[in-house]
């Protein structure tokens, strides 16, 4: 997705959620600085990983049940906070999409074991960027939800789950299977306001519908 296509959605999200784009930019600049000596990758590393079918794993309470009943196919992209649960269920990600919240240990372990990890910097996670990026020694794609600059990419999307869908579509997926997605009932997360999370998931639902349409199925 070109930034010109994403920008109107981003502006609407900032207005609705009360976000200051300058804070996103500040966090993104921190991420840029901290990844100067990292194993930074780009489209050439992403493209070979995206197959025609992509399974995106979200972090809803139904994740384990979905994995058991539906299984995974094709490329497996996992939202950051679902990485530990996915791996405990026997599923290794091909790609992780994260803003560094949730259960961070498995995300760091996955990155350091060679899993390509797209890390998002935004206004609310600058502290996490500063704390965890130095620990992530594997392949990274630094991303921003604002205007991309330097080595930072922006493939569209707001939450980890819908950013994973945007990524899959950007690189040619023709079928996207969504496991562990519940747009109405957020999975409990320490320090997270359930009502704010519901508003975020409302945006995620809209973005997935607009970007993927019938390509994405739950």
């Amino acid at each position: 997705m070109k930034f010109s296509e994403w920008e109107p959605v981003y502006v609407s999200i900032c207005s609705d959620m009360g976000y200051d784009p300058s804070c996103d930019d500040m966090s993104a600049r921190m991420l840029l600085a901290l990844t100067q000596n990292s194993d930074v990758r780009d489209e050439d590393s992403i493209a070979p990983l995206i197959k025609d079918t992509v399974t995106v794993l979200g972090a809803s309470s139904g994740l384990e049940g979905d994995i058991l009943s539906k299984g995974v196919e094709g490329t497996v992209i996992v939202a950051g906070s679902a990485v530990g649960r996915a791996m405990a269920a026997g599923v290794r990600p091909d790609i992780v999409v994260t803003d560094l919240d949730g259960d961070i240990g498995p995300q760091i372990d996955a990155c350091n074991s060679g899993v390509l990890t797209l890390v998002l910097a935004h206004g609310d996670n600058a502290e996490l960027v500063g704390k965890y990026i130095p620990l992530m020694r594997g392949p990274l794609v630094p991303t921003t939800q604002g205007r991309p600059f330097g080595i930072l990419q922006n493939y569209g999307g707001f939450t980890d789950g819908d950013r994973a869908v945007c990524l899959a579509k950007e690189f040619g997926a023709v079928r996207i299977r969504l496991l562990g997605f519940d747009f109405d009932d957020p999975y409990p997360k320490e320090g997270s306001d359930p009502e704010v999370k519901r508003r975020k998931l409302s945006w995620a639902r809209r973005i997935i519908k607009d970007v993927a349409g019938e390509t994405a199925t739950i």
Side-chain angles (χ1 to χ4, degrees):
M1 181 185 298
K2 294 182 175 63
F3 183 70
S4 59
E5 298 171 305
W6 167 247
E7 186 175 22
V9 183
Y10 172 59
V11 170
S12 295
I13 290 171
C14 288
S15 176
D16 179 53
M17 301 295 297
Y19 295 152
D20 181 350
S22 68
C23 294
D24 288 341
D25 183 70
M26 180 178 65
S27 185
R29 292 185 183 281
M30 177 185 293
L31 178 60
L32 177 64
L34 288 172
T35 52
Q36 290 302 305
N37 296 314
S38 298
D39 182 10
V40 173
R41 305 297 180 90
D42 58 17
E43 287 88 347
D44 290 340
S45 292
I46 300 172
L49 296 178
I50 304 296
K51 300 176 182 176
D52 286 348
T53 296
V54 171
T55 301
V56 178
L57 303 188
S60 81
S61 59
L63 174 61
E64 289 83 357
D66 281 353
I67 291 173
L68 185 63
S69 64
K70 301 175 182 178
V72 299
E73 299 176 33
T75 303
V76 179
I77 307 179
V78 181
S81 57
V83 171
R85 293 167 59 201
M87 296 186 76
V91 178
R92 176 181 168 83
D94 295 303
I95 299 173
V96 169
V97 175
T98 182
D99 66 352
L100 303 174
D101 71 350
D103 188 7
I104 191 64
Q107 300 178 55
I108 294 172
D109 290 344
C111 177
N112 291 346
S113 71
V115 176
L116 184 66
T117 302
L118 278 73
V119 177
L120 176 74
H122 58 71
D124 290 337
N125 77 339
E127 181 179 352
L128 300 180
V129 168
K131 183 176 182 179
Y132 295 126
I133 288 299
L135 304 179
M136 303 179 84
R137 298 180 295 276
L140 294 175
V141 179
T143 68
T144 176
Q145 58 189 14
R147 183 177 297 278
F149 58 91
I151 58 173
L152 272 67
Q153 307 293 328
N154 184 342
Y155 301 110
F158 178 39
T159 72
D160 288 352
D162 61 277
R163 281 187 290 112
V165 171
C166 289
L167 180 73
K169 285 295 293 183
E170 176 72 15
F171 287 90
V174 296
R175 178 171 173 250
I176 302 173
R177 304 173 68 245
L178 305 179
L179 277 61
F181 277 70
D182 186 334
F183 298 108
D184 300 311
D185 187 15
Y187 188 77
K189 187 185 300 182
E190 184 177 354
S192 176
D193 182 332
E195 185 53 40
V196 172
K197 185 61 177 178
R198 286 189 185 92
R199 291 172 63 194
K200 290 181 177 180
L201 290 175
S202 177
W203 275 106
R205 188 205 305 262
R206 172 178 166 182
I207 291 166
I208 290 172
K209 181 179 179 181
D210 289 348
V211 169
E214 295 182 0
T215 303
T217 58
I218 294 180

